[in-house]
Amino acid sequence: MDETRVERILRAVECIPASEVATYGDLGKITDESPRVIGRVMATWGSNVPWWRVVNAKGQISGHFAQALPHWQAEDITVKEEAGAVALNKHRTELSVLQVAWYQAVADLTESSYRR
């Protein structure tokens, strides 16, 4: 996968504020990538960004609940342990705010490297 695409996605994750989460679809809308591409990037290169802030549409983190739980607790993210999920309605980041932060975060990348 193109390094610039990966970098754009990882920077979007870094823009998610503490105590907030975004779904793969949310990040896909901002970066113009599919949720599957977001998931692939996170699985392959996401260990050095706040990966616990990226959840699926149900607020779950597939296979990593036990690793994410301490992060969620430290950030006061409400967890529905019986469902293994966060409370999306309470902690989902505002997309318009995330998008502005992301545009600033990728400003140093060349416009020609953006996938449109």
Side-chain angles (χ1 to χ4, degrees):
M1 181 173 291
D2 178 83
E3 289 180 25
T4 302
R5 285 176 72 190
V6 171
E7 185 65 24
R8 291 174 60 242
I9 292 166
L10 295 178
R11 289 188 190 188
V13 174
E14 291 172 336
C15 290
I16 303 168
S19 300
E20 297 182 15
V21 297
T23 66
Y24 296 106
D26 294 338
L27 294 175
K29 288 176 188 172
I30 290 170
T31 62
D32 196 27
E33 298 285 357
S34 76
R36 287 180 188 248
V37 169
I38 302 297
R40 179 174 171 218
V41 167
M42 292 303 297
T44 307
W45 295 283
S47 64
N48 291 323
V49 296
W51 54 267
W52 58 91
R53 296 182 190 151
V54 182
V55 296
N56 67 21
K58 294 179 181 179
Q60 299 168 326
I61 235 173
S62 298
H64 299 287
F65 179 80
Q67 295 90 350
L69 186 58
H71 295 287
W72 290 337
Q73 291 171 331
E75 294 186 12
D76 291 322
I77 295 174
T78 305
V79 178
K80 302 180 285 186
E81 291 193 48
E82 69 282 354
V86 300
L88 271 178
N89 60 335
K90 185 175 180 184
H91 297 285
R92 194 174 204 165
T93 195
E94 179 64 42
L95 285 186
S96 61
V97 174
L98 182 59
Q99 187 168 31
V100 168
W102 178 74
Y103 280 139
Q104 293 171 349
V106 296
D108 64 317
L109 300 176
T110 62
E111 186 68 28
S112 64
S113 66
Y114 283 28
R115 184 173 162 258
R116 301 257 182 210

